[in-house]
Amino acid sequence: MRFIIAVVVVVLAAVMVGLGFAQRTVFAPPESVSSTVSTESSDAVVTVVPAEALHGHDGRQTISVAGGGTVFAAYGRTSDVLGWVGDTTYNSVSWDDATGELETQVVQGSEATAPAPADSDLWYEQYEGTSLTFSLDAPDDISLVVLSDGTEPAPSQLRVTWPLSASTPMAGPLIVGGLVVLVIGVLLYVWAIAHHRRTRGPRRTSSDGKRPKLPRPPRRSAIRAGATPAIGASKRGARRRLVAVVPVVLVSSLALAGCTADYWPSAVGGAGDGSTPTPTATATPGAEGDDEGTELQPPVVTEAQAERIVARVAATASAADAALDATAAAERFVGPALEQREANYQIRAKDAAAAGPIGVPSGDLTLTLPQQADTWPRTLFTVVQDADASKAPIALTLVQESARDPYKVEYLQALEAQATLPTVAPASLGAARLAPDVKLLTLRPDQLAEAYGDILRNGDESQYAPQFQAEGDTLRDKIGKAYKDAKRASLPTTASIDYTSTPDAETPVAFASNDAGAIVSVGLDEVETVKPTAAGAEVNPAGVVKTLVGLDKSTKGIEATYGVQLLFSVPPVGSDDKIVLLGFSQALTAAKELP
């Protein structure tokens, strides 16, 4: 009976171990599930896959796109993707809960084509090739856009693959439990053998009542000659076999103890549950212009996007500056920043020795402040530190007029040596762009240029001087009242010089800071007019004015316009702090002979 029990236990152990390994082999669950959608019957040039479709199953998504020639895919914030698609007819992919598959429908628009999609500033990431396979962990507020070149139909085959749980929580317990049961079975078998040997031989007396005659013990010589060992020796052999079996079982158990969590049950999602945390957009309280103030608009770009945008601007600026190509510069510059470059290119085309414009470094972004907005136009403020730390950091104010336009530099200023920027919100939150006539500051943004222009002309005698900090303001030394008085005094009595200044045509850009103040970029046009004051007198332009106007002398007079881009820190209304000039750029933008 003991042998039967031992055999049953060993067989049970074998079944348990077999079932455990079967769960990891023949009975193993699939590692992933896929859904494919085809758009072969559609002529739409764009396919949009929102996050809801990408979340048809849990886990990280692997997207495969093929069909047609060139394949382009990118993902970005859903509002950005739809803004870029605009009125173009597109395939909209959705998830059907009933069938558990992706499906598509055509959304009709008024446009049949889309612009070239590559390198749009809206994309978080982009992919190009003849066929694509890539993975992403799509947050709830992003969408995937797929197309060819904007004119050909969108790639016809799109497949999304999700991982499934590969865990077999009973495999580990079955295998280890089976090995434990096997040890028990071996012990029972050894015990059965030992018990059998202890009890073998007759136990009853003979029928005549006499004690049976015991066999003679073997001679020592017979034992030495190799006779059958005694029962005690057999027991020692059994113990040796047990010692040989137990290490094998222990080694196997220890090996299984190192298996992944996929082999074991878990009360919470383990490493093998197939689920992947899905990042979501940061909830932000309160939107600009929202009377209830319940939710903020999201920042228009991420830090990674801002870095790519500035790198593209730097590359465009470097190439345009070297080639004196105003058309190329216009791809990434607008407003006052473009005017300075256009004039500089004209000057350097005539005088190669003339200095170039302030460059855009491709270094680290030390400050990134995107506007909180989900409509256009949009604005981004950032500060870039050149790889050469001895050079002044450059502040850039960039605008994006529409979803299909790139971000362009509107204002560019070199920071003052002692400039301390006010504390602002992190890039992940962004800041509100203030209205130009906001009354929450010590001076409205649309009044700053005019007030500072008055200070440049009149110095401390200006009515606005008490509101502005003079210490650390090096622009006053360059073109302020003392400079203007000295230049006026250097002219002969037969000529006069006059200075006027007006705000430029661009709208000031003001970002709210954490202290309820603002960082404000404004533009100022300073006009210098030199005229002869006596009959037959002439004025002789010099330097870059002479180069740009193309005259050695004039009996009518010369008018030169200097564009001044200014960056201020403006305190909130009621503060005793003064307005501080944080940075500036100043350059000749136009010159002409008076009529």
Side-chain angles (χ1 to χ4, degrees):
M1 185 66 180
R2 289 180 175 84
F3 285 103
I4 295 174
I5 293 174
V7 171
V8 170
V9 171
V10 170
V11 171
L12 176 62
V15 171
M16 291 175 66
V17 172
L19 286 175
F21 280 110
Q23 286 204 17
R24 300 300 301 177
T25 54
V26 295
F27 298 147
E31 296 183 351
S32 63
V33 60
S34 298
S35 181
T36 301
V37 65
S38 174
T39 59
E40 288 183 352
S41 60
S42 171
D43 292 330
V45 299
V46 180
T47 297
V48 176
V49 188
E52 292 82 357
L54 294 174
H55 293 164
H57 291 279
D58 292 334
R60 188 175 180 85
Q61 305 89 31
T62 299
I63 294 97
S64 299
V65 185
T70 302
V71 177
F72 177 91
Y75 64 93
R77 206 167 66 191
T78 297
S79 60
D80 292 357
V81 169
L82 295 179
W84 184 88
V85 172
D87 290 330
T88 302
T89 298
Y90 67 95
N91 305 307
S92 177
V93 177
S94 59
W95 179 259
D96 189 335
D97 289 326
T99 62
E101 295 289 342
L102 295 171
E103 61 180 14
T104 181
Q105 64 179 0
V106 177
V107 177
Q108 291 293 336
S110 60
E111 300 176 10
T113 62
D119 297 330
S120 168
D121 290 340
L122 297 178
W123 310 143
Y124 288 170
E125 193 64 74
Q126 65 180 35
Y127 310 89
E128 293 182 84
T130 54
S131 62
L132 299 175
T133 298
F134 56 93
S135 297
L136 63 116
D137 229 351
D140 292 335
D141 62 343
I142 74 105
S143 288
L144 177 71
V145 60
V146 177
L147 62 162
S148 179
D149 59 358
T151 58
E152 296 295 324
S156 57
Q157 299 295 321
L158 185 144
R159 183 176 72 250
V160 182
T161 302
W162 299 268
L164 291 179
S165 173
S167 64
T168 49
M170 294 307 297
L174 282 172
I175 295 173
V176 174
L179 293 176
V180 172
V181 172
L182 176 62
V183 171
I184 295 172
V186 171
L187 292 175
L188 288 174
Y189 184 77
V190 172
W191 177 54
I193 293 175
H195 182 271
H196 172 72
R197 290 185 174 179
R198 281 198 307 269
T199 57
R200 71 179 179 176
R203 287 179 174 269
R204 294 177 298 176
T205 58
S206 61
S207 59
D208 57 3
K210 297 181 180 180
R211 289 176 62 89
K213 187 175 181 179
L214 297 175
R216 230 183 219 187
R219 296 179 181 178
R220 291 184 179 180
S221 59
I223 295 174
R224 293 192 189 98
T228 302
I231 293 175
S234 176
K235 291 180 180 180
R236 288 192 298 272
R239 284 197 295 271
R240 292 191 193 100
R241 289 192 294 274
L242 176 61
V243 169
V245 169
V246 170
V248 173
V249 174
L250 289 176
V251 169
S252 302
S253 299
L254 290 173
L256 280 169
C259 292
T260 67
D262 292 350
Y263 284 75
W264 304 95
S266 176
V268 295
D273 65 358
S275 62
T276 303
T278 302
T280 58
T282 303
T284 52
E288 182 182 6
D290 186 352
D291 294 335
E292 297 182 358
T294 57
E295 184 180 356
L296 289 176
Q297 299 294 338
V300 295
V301 298
T302 64
E303 285 188 273
Q305 281 179 289
E307 290 173 356
R308 285 196 297 269
I309 291 167
V310 172
R312 290 167 182 168
V313 169
T316 299
S318 177
D321 292 350
L324 308 181
D325 189 344
T327 301
E331 295 175 3
R332 285 292 182 174
F333 291 85
V334 70
L338 180 60
E339 289 176 3
Q340 286 192 4
R341 271 179 156 70
E342 289 175 333
N344 181 267
Y345 296 167
Q346 294 178 40
I347 293 168
R348 289 197 293 142
K350 298 175 181 179
D351 180 7
I358 297 177
V360 179
S362 56
D364 295 331
L365 273 58
T366 58
L367 186 149
T368 301
L369 186 61
Q371 180 187 0
Q372 295 168 344
D374 60 1
T375 57
W376 283 268
R378 297 176 170 184
T379 314
L380 165 67
F381 177 78
T382 185
V383 176
V384 191
Q385 176 61 63
D386 195 287
D388 183 354
S390 64
K391 295 183 179 180
I394 301 299
L396 302 174
T397 301
L398 304 101
V399 295
Q400 186 186 39
E401 289 298 327
S402 72
R404 293 179 175 180
D405 288 321
Y407 276 88
K408 297 183 180 183
V409 178
E410 185 174 25
Y411 293 101
L412 182 154
Q413 303 103 345
L415 295 188
E416 292 274 45
Q418 305 301 321
T420 300
L421 294 168
T423 303
V424 296
S428 59
L429 184 62
R433 177 173 173 175
L434 305 178
D437 60 350
V438 64
K439 297 178 177 61
L440 302 177
L441 306 174
T442 55
L443 198 62
R444 287 169 22 189
D446 59 5
Q447 296 174 336
L448 278 170
E450 181 179 356
Y452 190 75
D454 191 74
I455 292 175
L456 290 178
R457 293 192 309 273
N458 301 309
D460 293 339
E461 299 173 6
S462 169
Q463 62 174 320
Y464 301 104
Q467 293 180 264
F468 287 76
Q469 179 175 295
E471 182 181 355
D473 185 347
T474 61
L475 185 56
R476 298 193 195 190
D477 298 331
K478 293 178 183 294
I479 61 172
K481 184 177 185 299
Y483 163 83
K484 290 177 171 61
D485 290 345
K487 193 165 183 179
R488 187 176 286 113
S490 67
L491 287 178
T493 58
T494 58
S496 67
I497 188 169
D498 189 30
Y499 293 95
T500 60
S501 59
T502 56
D504 67 12
E506 300 299 321
T507 302
V509 178
F511 278 102
S513 57
N514 289 357
D515 61 357
I519 296 176
V520 185
S521 291
V522 296
L524 177 69
D525 288 333
E526 273 217 327
V527 180
E528 178 186 271
T529 305
V530 182
K531 296 186 294 185
T533 57
E538 298 175 338
V539 295
N540 305 107
V544 292
V545 175
K546 176 182 177 180
T547 303
L548 189 58
V549 77
L551 296 174
D552 294 326
K553 58 185 178 180
S554 172
T555 58
K556 299 177 181 178
I558 299 295
E559 180 183 277
T561 302
Y562 293 85
V564 187
Q565 300 175 51
L566 304 164
L567 180 67
F568 291 105
S569 172
V570 184
V573 66
S575 173
D576 294 330
D577 294 335
K578 294 187 176 183
I579 300 170
V580 179
L581 179 68
L582 299 173
F584 65 88
S585 63
Q586 185 257 359
L588 180 69
T589 56
K592 65 180 181 179
E593 185 179 29
L594 293 174

